[in-house]
Amino acid sequence: MTAMISARGLTKRFKDVEALSGLDLDVPEGTVLALLGPNGAGKTTSVRCLTTLLRPDSGTATVAGADVLADPDLVRSRIGLSGQYAAVDEHLTGFENLVMVGRLYGLGRQRSRERAQELLERFDLTDAGGRPSKTYSGGMRRRLDLAGALVASPPVLVLDEPTTGLDPRSRLQMWDVIRDLVAGGATLLLTTQYLEEADRLADDIVVIDHGREIARGTADELKARTGGERVEIVLADGSHAEAVRSVLATVAVGEVGVEENGRELTAAVEGGVLALQRVLTGVQELPGVEVLDVGLRRPTLDDVFLTLTGHAAETDTSDETAEATR
Amino acid sequence: MSTTEKASLARAGRGPLGALEDGWVVAQRNLVKIKRVPEVLVFVLISPIMFVLLFAFVFGGAIDPGDGSNYREFLIGGIFAQTVVFGATFTGAGLAEDMQKGIIDRFRSLPMSPSAVLVGRTTSDVVYNVLSLIIMALTGLLIGWRVREGVLDMLAGFGLLLLFAYAVSWVMAYVGLLVPSVEVINNASFIVIMPLTFVSNAFVPLESFSGVLRQFVLWNPVSALTQASRELFGNTSPASAPDAWSMQHPVLYTLLWVVLILVVFVPLSVNRYRRATSR
Ligand SMILES: Nc1ncnc2c1ncn2[C@@H]1O[C@H](COP(=O)(O)OP(=O)(O)OP(=O)(O)O)[C@@H](O)[C@H]1O
Ligand SMILES: [Mg+2]
């Protein structure tokens, strides 16, 4: 299979920040690659380099058969970009925004209008299509922006954090839209901070941090390396931490994490529910242990980082990440 | 499925005609803002009225232009020139704003002409200048200004004002691409435009300047523009024009500046736009 997106050794430096330090990417035709990483990992910088918005300091890239550095205009005619922040004109209506994009793709007036109407319908924006986009909710604006990326039906789509800031329902809708696009034959590069999202949508995942790859593989491969699901147990006080830890250790893959002065314990496990059951039984047999909460959860980006790098994801905007990984 | 089979609908590299079309699409987008935010228009139209009234009444009675003409009438050409040149600030501000907003990433990811955002912005600002000239002319007529030459000369006068303003728009477009935010643009434009319009014959007759300043005034394109529009409107006699080539041939001299400015600033701005990154 031919690679629709292929990058070799991309680097980009902003003053004292090494935003990209030698990134390689390959996205075979008709597949989805998720670029997974915390705030400041270099996701947007990669996207901007691949979509001709930013010139990498070194490295090469081809997108849909065109060289990003040598032939940026050809690249632009073959990609659709939906950036991290919705790129819509707030004074124009949804319809006008899409018509404008169509005309700038060279579709002609009539074809642009038809295409705008089609896309408004597809993205559930027909009713709002006549209102200035300033009046749209964040989710609507995001959908309008994605619609803008699809105007010319480009074979390659690049979506930078398409679901960040969306409510759970809008997020599910966005996932459906993305799956439809892939079913229609599009090649997709998307960035995300959510392991679950990458798991649901992507064929391949590249985990990046500080502008370099720290892991790559299919969702299953990554999960195998990071130990799949987690059993998490919250205790009323930390005095029994050691006893509970040894119970968890009987089912854990790798080490048991102990946090909050021994009140919160986490272990990667295999065979989810069964492991949970054994933990519960084990803990019940311990005298005087008060369990506040216990449960099974999917690994998050933080877990991936913890297992792959031995440290939590460091970020430059810590509060946002805290939110994202919770 | 191969790349060629699933080709996108887009057409890349559509030549000079495509570039014009792209520029027009962007200009239309800018003009929609007038419809959606009419407050902007009100401001655009009230300030020229203010200029005409303030300058005509503050300076109008104070100075004798020395050639027997009515000073208030003499002043109007200068006010026109000053206002349309100041109008270029709008271009810089509009562009600086565009560069800060997310929409610029959309533009830069499309296979459109790299000049379209600039062509569109400078073109839509011509519309603002046409409106402000109409308003100023009407205000002028109310306070006693008259066109004393033919209709063709009058149209040539307005045409020259618009053309020069268009050229200055490109200068401010470049400044708009350089500044980090919209707030800076007003100050930046003050530095460029204030000396040009005030150290000219727009408000004060040439006689009040001497030495180096006098030479600056004589060769300042805004002086030539002012002189040209006064002559074309019949508000001064070419015979009394100061004895410098620029003042003897004000239309030609202004046109030379228009060409010079465009030749320098169009490529400079387009190049800057290509390299500018948003945010
Ligand atoms: N224009 C710029 N000037 C200076 N530094 C920049 C610029 N753009 C990005 N950076 C820096 O480069 C690094 C990578 O940024 P990038 O935006 O690619 O991260 P990201 O993975 O997209 O993060 P987020 O999840 O917050 O969007 C960060 O440290 C950031 O501060
Ligand atoms: Mg980003």
Side-chain angles (χ1 to χ4, degrees), chain A residues 14 17 19 38-45 84 161 193 316 320, chain B residues 279:
Chain A
F14 297 104
V17 184
N39 290 131
K43 302 184 295 295
T44 300
T45 308
Q84 184 165 3
E161 299 197 25
Q193 303 185 14
D316 41 11
E320 239 179 279
Chain B
R279 279 184 291 271

Side-chain angles (χ1 to χ4, degrees), chain B residues 7 33 41 56 61 108 139 151 159 184 238 242 255 257 259 268 270:
Chain B
K33 190 174 176 188
L41 192 61
R108 295 182 70 245
T139 316
V151 176
V184 185
L255 288 175
W257 269 97
V259 172
L268 212 56
V270 173

Side-chain angles (χ1 to χ4, degrees), chain B residues 134-196:
Chain B
I134 291 174
I135 296 288
M136 283 192 293
L138 293 176
T139 316
L141 287 173
L142 275 180
I143 61 164
W145 170 67
R146 291 294 176 268
V147 174
R148 299 185 193 280
E149 291 288 337
V151 176
L152 283 183
D153 276 347
M154 178 190 80
L155 291 179
F158 284 126
L160 195 68
L161 284 162
L162 289 173
L163 211 56
F164 188 77
Y166 183 74
V168 182
S169 269
W170 278 93
V171 179
M172 292 313 296
Y174 183 63
V175 178
L177 291 173
L178 288 181
V179 298
S181 77
V182 185
E183 289 70 38
V184 185
I185 194 84
N186 284 324
N187 296 324
S189 97
F190 241 61
I191 297 169
V192 179
I193 291 176
M194 275 295 245
L196 277 180

Side-chain angles (χ1 to χ4, degrees), chain B residues 40 43-44 86-95 121 125 128:
Chain B
V40 177
F43 175 76
V44 167
F86 253 99
T89 310
F90 229 70
T91 307
L95 211 54
R121 176 59 64 184
D125 286 344
Y128 280 112

Side-chain angles (χ1 to χ4, degrees), chain A residues 96-107:
Chain A
E96 288 166 342
N97 262 295
L98 295 179
V99 173
M100 176 180 75
V101 171
R103 297 196 62 188
L104 293 173
Y105 265 120
L107 260 55

Side-chain angles (χ1 to χ4, degrees), chain A residues 41-69:
Chain A
K43 302 184 295 295
T44 300
T45 308
S46 321
V47 162
R48 294 176 71 84
C49 286
L50 291 171
T51 54
T52 76
L53 299 188
L54 200 64
R55 230 187 137 77
D57 296 336
S58 68
T60 57
T62 56
V63 176
D67 190 306
V68 170
L69 294 172

Side-chain angles (χ1 to χ4, degrees), chain A residues 4 29 48 52-54 64 73-74 76-79 81-82 85-93 96-97 100-101 103-107 111 115 132 145 148-149 151-155 184-186, chain B residues 1-3 6-14 21-26 28-30 32-33 35-37 97-98 101-114 116 276-279:
Chain A
M4 282 297 261
E29 181 163 8
R48 294 176 71 84
T52 76
L53 299 188
L54 200 64
D73 228 33
L74 196 58
R76 292 186 197 120
S77 71
R78 293 179 180 171
I79 58 165
L81 166 68
S82 177
Y85 307 97
V88 299
D89 187 310
E90 55 177 4
H91 296 299
L92 300 191
T93 65
E96 288 166 342
N97 262 295
M100 176 180 75
V101 171
R103 297 196 62 188
L104 293 173
Y105 265 120
L107 260 55
R111 188 75 191 92
R115 193 73 186 124
D145 190 56
V151 165
S153 313
Chain B
M1 201 173 350
S2 82
T3 319
K6 210 195 160 309
S8 86
L9 306 172
R11 286 177 294 145
R14 287 172 298 126
E21 191 191 336
D22 290 347
W24 178 234
V25 171
V26 176
Q28 282 176 310
R29 166 244 171 188
N30 297 339
V32 166
K33 190 174 176 188
K35 222 166 47 181
R36 302 281 148 75
V37 196
E97 196 185 340
D98 277 354
K101 294 223 164 136
I103 185 74
I104 201 70
D105 277 354
R106 172 64 68 214
F107 286 149
R108 295 182 70 245
S109 71
L110 293 175
M112 63 195 268
S113 156
T277 48
S278 60
R279 279 184 291 271

